[in-house]
Amino acid sequence: MPKLLILDDDPNRERGCKNALASSYLQPSEWRVERSSHAFLHAASDFDKEVEVVSLDHDLLVDDRMDGLDVVRVLVQAGLLLQACFIIHSSNADRAVMMAGELELDGRSVRLVAPFGDNWATDQWMPIVHRMMRSHQ
């Protein structure tokens, strides 16, 4: 069961996250990447109580009519992933702040990461994932 649930459809960012995860203590069975909002929401429902950290992108190019802000609103409205900490890893700064605001208003813990540069996932994102995972122990 995944402890880390990621929503991103950008192959470069997905590769960066997977490379960072490969060098971490997390086993492949402990994390999951979804490329569409619908697949992500299905996984969020299936693994609601197990997920400790969620990492979300905003601009979903392969999706049908939903973006990261829509996903956040569904999570809040449905009361899904209440125990999870959230990372917003979107290059769309305005929408990332809106996503974080929606989650914070619902009492969720949120961090923002700008996914720029070749090593953003290893240098910025992964240390936050580790800190958030430790906070659940």
Side-chain angles (χ1 to χ4, degrees):
M1 287 182 275
K3 294 181 179 182
L4 170 64
L5 188 55
I6 302 165
L7 173 61
D8 202 320
D9 65 347
D10 181 292
N12 292 326
R13 282 200 298 257
E14 180 180 346
R15 188 170 30 261
C17 290
K18 286 181 175 180
N19 288 341
L21 288 162
S23 63
S24 78
Y25 62 86
L26 291 170
Q27 300 299 311
S29 63
E30 295 180 300
W31 51 269
R32 183 169 174 164
V33 178
E34 297 295 351
R35 293 179 187 90
S36 78
S37 60
H38 297 288
F40 176 87
L41 290 169
H42 189 267
S45 179
D46 286 351
F47 303 109
D48 180 35
K49 304 297 183 219
E50 291 82 18
V51 173
E52 298 175 5
V53 178
V54 175
S55 191
L56 300 171
D57 183 26
H58 177 269
D59 300 326
L60 304 173
L61 305 175
V62 299
D63 210 17
D64 55 342
R65 292 177 253 131
M66 287 186 81
D67 59 29
L69 184 56
D70 296 323
V71 168
V72 164
R73 288 178 174 155
V74 170
L75 293 174
V76 168
Q77 186 175 25
L80 290 171
L81 306 171
L82 290 172
Q83 75 291 343
C85 299
F86 285 78
I87 301 169
I88 309 299
H89 67 266
S90 179
S91 58
N92 186 333
D94 291 338
R95 291 298 181 158
V97 169
M98 290 176 71
M99 291 168 69
E102 294 273 341
L103 290 163
E104 288 171 343
L105 285 172
D106 197 47
R108 317 283 185 109
S109 174
V110 185
R111 294 285 308 268
L112 298 172
V113 174
F116 298 115
D118 293 337
N119 298 321
W120 74 272
T122 302
D123 296 345
Q124 298 171 34
W125 180 77
M126 199 69 231
I128 295 170
V129 170
H130 283 156
R131 278 194 300 277
M132 289 178 164
M133 291 281 187
R134 281 194 300 273
S135 75
H136 277 273
Q137 295 177 353

